[in-house]
Amino acid sequence: MQKRLFTTVHEGWLKLLFASFAVEDRAWGEKLYDYAEILYRHLRFIETLYVQKKIEYSYERPAIQLAFTTEGEAAMYCDEALARIGLQLVENGDPLAKRMLNDLKFIRAELHRAFGRNAKVTAFDKSLRFDGIELDKASLDALVLFLFEESYKEYELIVIYSYAQTVVDDKRLGEIFQILIDESKFHLKSFALMMAKLGILAVPRMVTREIYRFDSLKKFLADGIEEEKMAKEQCRALAEAVANETLQQFFDFINFQEDYHITLMEEALERIG
């Protein structure tokens, strides 16, 4: 497989993922989300293969712009990303490449059937209106700042935990990182859907190698625990700053989930002594 394939699949995953958050038809959005998950698994298959073969790769990638105004255009946007991946895959008898090409063929056929969808996409219109909830300026400003910061943070954690899971040998550590990946995906999805409703959806900035690669797993976990504690404080502060009971309850919920993450990371830290 070509070296640059990892970057192209990474971009494709993010394009399908954020298209899934952008469309208002949630049944269609969930289907796009499922396809994005398939691309994420492709990414991890490639990563594992590259680690085994000692092929250099990076989670760094170009900035990604979301550029569509209807659901049909969203389907075309996603199809273009998959076409780019297909061009870099070669039918050479590699079972992984063959499976990926089969997946792409099916997903692209589904996308082609959606090209005619004319429902508007308002996820980028900067309306700053949220499900009819009236927020004062201070509450709205705090919410917007939090969503941009935390959507990046959750994406960053997905990258960090994905890389960590690939390079550790301990089975339980691998399980812990998988749980943390799944939790970060849930948080990212929750925040991104809120951003879409506010009309401010955007793909987070790139995560650099210096952030996701580590020399000491012990220090990586210890730093991660401190970051989770900071995330708890940010959720608590936002729950207090936003003058809306429904939103306050949601951010309290996210806050208490961080306790679970801290417990898991403390277990991981104990395993490596």
Side-chain angles (χ1 to χ4, degrees):
M1 288 186 181
Q2 300 177 44
K3 186 175 178 180
R4 69 180 183 276
L5 179 64
F6 188 84
T7 300
T8 307
V9 175
H10 186 181
E11 291 180 77
W13 163 52
L14 289 175
K15 286 180 177 180
L16 264 70
L17 183 66
F18 278 79
S20 81
F21 302 144
V23 299
E24 293 185 29
D25 182 335
R26 290 318 307 153
W28 172 234
E30 287 303 311
K31 183 173 283 192
L32 287 175
Y33 186 85
D34 289 342
Y35 297 155
E37 283 286 275
I38 290 173
L39 285 212
Y40 173 76
R41 290 193 288 275
H42 287 183
L43 189 71
R44 300 302 310 283
F45 293 149
I46 297 167
E47 183 173 25
T48 300
L49 181 66
Y50 284 3
V51 168
Q52 290 171 349
K53 294 189 174 183
K54 301 188 185 316
I55 297 172
E56 186 68 20
Y57 69 97
S58 173
Y59 272 95
E60 295 181 8
R61 42 80 185 172
I64 295 173
Q65 299 298 321
L66 300 170
F68 44 88
T69 58
T70 68
E71 291 182 354
E73 288 178 9
M76 295 177 194
Y77 173 84
C78 293
D79 183 65
E80 186 276 334
L82 298 191
R84 288 186 62 222
I85 295 171
L87 289 173
Q88 293 183 19
L89 283 170
V90 180
E91 273 282 20
N92 58 1
D94 183 329
L96 175 56
K98 183 176 181 180
R99 185 165 67 248
M100 290 173 63
L101 284 166
N102 282 337
D103 288 345
L104 295 181
K105 181 179 179 181
F106 172 78
I107 296 171
R108 292 191 67 192
E110 290 286 291
L111 291 171
H112 289 182
R113 283 190 278 272
F115 282 178
R117 297 177 71 98
N118 56 17
K120 288 186 177 180
V121 171
T122 61
F124 324 120
D125 67 4
K126 298 180 174 61
S127 66
L128 296 179
R129 293 188 297 272
F130 186 79
D131 282 353
I133 295 174
E134 291 293 330
L135 294 174
D136 59 59
K137 186 177 186 305
S139 296
L140 185 60
D141 289 347
L143 177 61
V144 169
L145 179 62
F146 175 89
L147 290 173
F148 273 109
E149 289 182 348
E150 291 305 304
S151 62
Y152 168 74
K153 191 64 183 177
E154 296 302 340
Y155 165 60
E156 177 187 78
L157 290 174
I158 293 169
V159 169
I160 290 171
Y161 296 143
S162 295
Y163 175 77
Q165 187 187 44
T166 303
V167 299
V168 299
D169 295 324
D170 184 286
K171 180 181 177 182
R172 178 54 184 163
L173 284 179
E175 291 172 348
I176 289 171
F177 287 132
Q178 184 59 57
I179 295 169
L180 291 169
I181 289 167
D182 293 341
E183 291 284 301
S184 290
K185 284 182 177 181
F186 169 71
H187 287 184
L188 176 60
K189 182 178 183 179
S190 299
F191 299 152
L193 287 173
M194 293 177 77
M195 293 174 77
K197 289 177 181 177
L198 288 163
I200 56 172
L201 184 65
V203 178
R205 64 188 181 276
M206 179 186 72
V207 178
T208 63
R209 292 176 186 232
E210 292 77 14
I211 292 173
Y212 71 84
R213 292 199 174 188
F214 51 83
D215 295 321
S216 167
L217 181 57
K218 187 172 183 177
K219 183 179 186 305
F220 161 75
L221 289 168
D223 290 346
I225 290 169
E226 292 306 310
E227 289 182 10
E228 292 289 353
K229 290 178 180 177
M230 289 174 58
K232 275 182 60 65
E233 177 58 26
Q234 288 170 329
C235 284
R236 184 200 61 76
L238 183 64
E240 292 180 358
V242 175
N244 178 271
E245 184 178 359
T246 300
L247 292 176
Q248 287 173 345
Q249 290 173 345
F250 171 74
F251 289 113
D252 279 337
F253 161 68
I254 296 294
N255 178 6
F256 288 116
Q257 282 202 318
E258 303 295 351
D259 289 332
Y260 183 41
H261 302 168
I262 291 169
T263 300
L264 284 166
M265 296 187 80
E266 287 174 341
E267 179 189 342
L269 193 56
E270 288 177 5
R271 288 192 69 82
I272 62 172

